[in-house]
């Protein structure tokens, strides 16, 4: 048997290394991440603005300054690492939403040819033992992904354009708050944005749907030391 027959790049173990089952982030985790990010960005920016200007001018400038800083803060971190400081605290990350591949069809044939071929590969008992029929050793089944899990490629970090679009959809309404009508529409948008996470099976808010992203629980790194 040649070396090329012994190793194949399309074996199940190779495919398992390329992908992993990542559970979708819980709404509570996403809320925690958003609160942390808002405090990290909003509090310092508002304090600086109020030190520079005062009165009604500060009330008008602060939301726009927060919106601009939040856009840069989120877009840059998502493009580099796939998660912001708040998402690190919550244990979640943003990945590109890719369509799931259809499962491969099981081999079928007349007279159980597919089954007999599979049984002929490995035998649990030698053929020479009287009274025993050679039976293939059962292959271990892969652990099923938990309910609400999304199978994603481990390297599907969103590109820069997706990161900027995702951050802008959330941040721009913040800058519209001082404008009476647009500020009201922005408040309605945030309620609708949160509500869309509970519609569908992927828990995608509006900014996720427009940017084509998913928020998943970050898997814990495996360590051989423990």
């Amino acid at each position: 048997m040649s070396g090329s027959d012994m190793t194949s790049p399309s074996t199940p173990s190779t495919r398992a290394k390329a992908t992993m089952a990542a559970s979708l982030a819980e709404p509570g985790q996403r809320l925690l991440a958003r609160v942390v990010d808002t405090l990290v960005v909003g509090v310092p920016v508002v304090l600086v603005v109020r030190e520079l200007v005062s009165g009604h001018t500060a009330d008008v400038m602060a939301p726009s300054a927060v919106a601009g800083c939040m856009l840069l803060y989120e877009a840059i971190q998502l493009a580099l690492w796939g998660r912001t400081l708040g998402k690190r605290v919550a244990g979640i990350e943003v990945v590109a939403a890719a369509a799931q591949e259809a499962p491969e069809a099981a081999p079928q044939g007349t007279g159980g040819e597919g089954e007999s071929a599979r049984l002929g590969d490995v035998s649990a008992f030698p053929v020479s033992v009287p009274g025993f029929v050679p039976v293939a050793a059962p292959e271990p089944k892969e652990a099923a992904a938990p309910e609400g899990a999304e199978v994603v490629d481990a390297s599907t970090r969103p590109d820069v354009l997706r990161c900027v679009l995702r951050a802008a959809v959330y941040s721009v309404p913040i800058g519209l708050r001082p404008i009476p009508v647009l500020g009201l529409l922005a408040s309605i948008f945030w309620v609708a944005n949160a509500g869309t996470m509970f519609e569908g099976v992927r828990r995608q808010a509006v900014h996720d749907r427009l940017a084509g992203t998913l928020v998943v629980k970050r898997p814990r790194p495996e360590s051989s030391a423990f």
Side-chain angles (χ1 to χ4, degrees), residues 17-192:
K17 294 178 182 178
T19 60
M20 62 181 177
S23 301
L24 295 172
E26 300 294 338
Q29 291 178 297
R30 300 187 63 170
L31 176 60
L32 172 61
R34 187 59 67 181
V35 169
V36 172
D37 288 334
T38 301
L39 293 176
V40 168
V41 177
V43 172
V45 171
V46 171
L47 292 177
V48 170
V49 170
R50 293 196 175 276
E51 285 293 326
L52 298 177
V53 295
S54 60
H56 180 69
T57 304
D59 296 335
V60 173
M61 292 184 60
S64 299
V66 171
C69 292
M70 180 68 75
L71 193 156
L72 294 175
Y73 167 88
E74 184 166 349
I76 293 174
Q77 292 190 73
L78 292 184
L80 292 177
W81 305 294
R83 55 197 186 278
T84 60
L85 180 60
K87 288 178 173 57
R88 291 175 185 270
V89 173
I92 58 179
E93 64 181 343
V94 177
V95 297
Q100 288 184 337
E101 296 182 359
E104 298 179 358
Q108 296 180 356
T110 57
E113 295 177 359
E115 184 69 22
S116 61
R118 197 162 57 249
L119 295 178
D121 293 340
V122 181
S123 177
F125 299 98
V127 180
S128 59
V129 177
F132 289 99
V133 178
V135 179
E139 296 182 358
K141 296 183 179 179
E142 295 182 359
E147 184 178 357
E150 180 73 20
V151 178
V152 298
D153 192 331
S155 61
T156 53
R157 184 178 300 164
D159 55 38
V160 176
L161 181 60
R162 292 190 185 193
C163 295
V164 173
L165 177 59
R166 188 181 191 275
V169 172
Y170 183 86
S171 302
V172 168
I174 300 176
L176 301 178
R177 288 188 60 188
I179 306 174
V181 176
L182 295 181
L184 176 61
L185 294 177
S187 300
I188 296 174
F189 168 78
W190 283 326
V191 174

